[in-house]
Amino acid sequence: METRTAAGVRFWVLLGLVSRFAGLKDDGGGWYGESDFRLEDEGPCNLDVLDASELSHQQFLDRDHIQGVSYRGILLKWYAFSRPLVLRGLTDNTRFRLLCSRSSLLRDYGSRRVKLSTANTHSYRKVEVPFQEYVDVHLRPQSADALGSDTLYFFGDNNFTEWQSLFQQYEPPPYVLPHTSGAYSFGIAGAGTGVPFHWHGAGFSEVIYGRKRWFLYPPESRPHFHPNRTTLSWLTETYPHLPEDEAPLECTIRPGEVLFFPDRWWHATLNLDTSVFISTFLG
């Protein structure tokens, strides 16, 4: 309990300590500059993190490949159907990354309209704006007291006809589940934004620029959250007080890393930086 509380308090404190992007190896595709903010604390990672060379597609699907582990009394036997993980070096999306720079996307898509959703569990409200307006007006850090219904989030609802030339350059994860095909959802969001807990089918999520923190629970372990409160408010108000046996599985995903989430797993996300990301939903 002491470790859980200390970690939560540390994150609470660091939320107020935004800093400039000093010493980064690249310019983040132009999505952040010296005056932009980020959240400092990446948090712990208690997911398996593997290099793609360590796990073949067959091993990903094979229930006998890994020893089962228990989470809150639930046996998680193998990845493809009951255990999330992070993979590195799974694909090479260097070209796609260049095409997702701020200057490239504004040049190619700035005048096109994009559909924004409210960042709550139900996402009832949809708003269409030019992509340039989204970047100039809505793409900004989020405060912990903001409501999901007041936060417009660009993710999913992509017009595949208009964005097809970009998506054709993306190399999706080569691992698939039997009898499924992949559908893309592309997004860009500011530091502190994210979506609260929800669930759907299995899929992969790759970060192109920035860092995205994930919190996950098995289907049988519904987390405690308010559907109209943001992940940031959950992290500052609820997360520090969780008993150890109610703590989530979690990890921060960085550029070039891919997270796999199984079918019907609860998950919430938090963008630690201005982030560009793409998910491949398996349906």
Side-chain angles (χ1 to χ4, degrees):
M1 178 67 72
E2 291 181 0
T3 302
R4 178 100 239 127
T5 304
V9 171
R10 185 178 69 252
F11 200 99
W12 177 290
V13 171
L14 288 173
L15 286 175
L17 300 178
V18 293
S19 70
R20 298 189 175 191
F21 280 78
L24 291 182
K25 295 181 179 179
D26 57 50
D27 65 353
W31 290 107
Y32 44 75
E34 291 186 357
S35 62
D36 290 328
F37 298 127
R38 67 195 299 221
L39 302 182
E40 289 285 5
D41 192 348
E42 294 189 351
C45 181
N46 53 16
L47 297 182
D48 288 348
V49 180
L50 300 177
D51 187 272
S53 63
E54 301 178 67
L55 188 73
S56 69
H57 187 193
Q58 185 57 45
Q59 290 170 335
F60 174 72
L61 296 172
D62 188 355
R63 73 182 69 190
D64 298 321
H65 172 62
I66 59 173
Q67 183 178 357
V69 297
S70 178
Y71 174 76
R72 292 169 64 178
I74 301 168
L75 185 64
L76 310 179
K77 292 184 179 179
W78 71 105
Y79 293 118
F81 302 99
S82 65
R83 187 172 171 183
L85 80 156
V86 179
L87 287 162
R88 294 172 175 165
L90 191 58
T91 56
D92 182 3
N93 275 301
T94 302
R95 175 170 173 73
F96 182 76
R97 190 169 190 262
L98 292 173
L99 293 173
C100 290
S101 69
R102 180 186 177 107
S103 59
S104 293
L105 285 183
L106 287 178
R107 180 193 64 221
D108 297 336
Y109 300 97
S111 62
R112 301 189 186 186
R113 299 184 72 82
V114 294
K115 186 176 292 186
L116 312 180
S117 302
T118 47
N120 56 32
T121 295
H122 304 296
S123 292
Y124 289 128
R125 188 161 65 100
K126 308 281 187 180
V127 177
E128 285 194 6
V129 299
F131 180 60
Q132 180 78 59
E133 179 181 329
Y134 173 70
V135 172
D136 293 342
V137 178
H138 301 287
L139 187 62
R140 59 179 185 268
Q142 178 173 277
S143 62
D145 59 354
L147 294 176
S149 57
D150 296 327
T151 304
L152 294 176
Y153 198 71
F154 175 45
F155 178 63
D157 284 321
N158 306 117
N159 185 318
F160 284 90
T161 300
E162 293 187 348
W163 292 80
Q164 183 178 13
S165 60
L166 176 66
F167 294 159
Q168 286 177 335
Q169 302 303 316
Y170 178 66
E171 183 179 348
Y175 300 166
V176 295
L177 302 182
H179 314 298
T180 67
S181 59
Y184 298 145
S185 284
F186 179 72
I188 305 170
T193 64
V195 290
F197 284 103
H198 62 288
W199 61 267
H200 43 66
F204 296 91
S205 183
E206 180 171 353
V207 172
I208 308 303
Y209 292 110
R211 298 167 301 153
K212 180 184 286 286
R213 189 172 175 188
W214 283 72
F215 306 92
L216 304 104
Y217 287 93
E220 299 84 354
S221 302
R222 188 183 191 278
H224 300 288
F225 72 99
H226 189 288
N228 198 30
R229 299 301 301 274
T230 64
T231 304
L232 185 56
S233 64
W234 175 86
L235 186 65
T236 58
E237 297 168 8
T238 303
Y239 177 91
H241 308 292
L242 290 174
E244 284 295 333
D245 62 355
E246 294 184 17
L249 292 172
E250 58 184 294
C251 198
T252 294
I253 312 302
R254 301 169 184 81
E257 297 180 335
V258 176
L259 179 137
F260 169 74
F261 50 90
D263 182 36
R264 295 184 295 115
W265 270 62
W266 291 95
H267 56 276
T269 61
L270 178 69
N271 297 294
L272 302 184
D273 315 311
T274 298
S275 301
V276 181
F277 43 91
I278 185 169
S279 291
T280 305
F281 294 111
L282 303 176

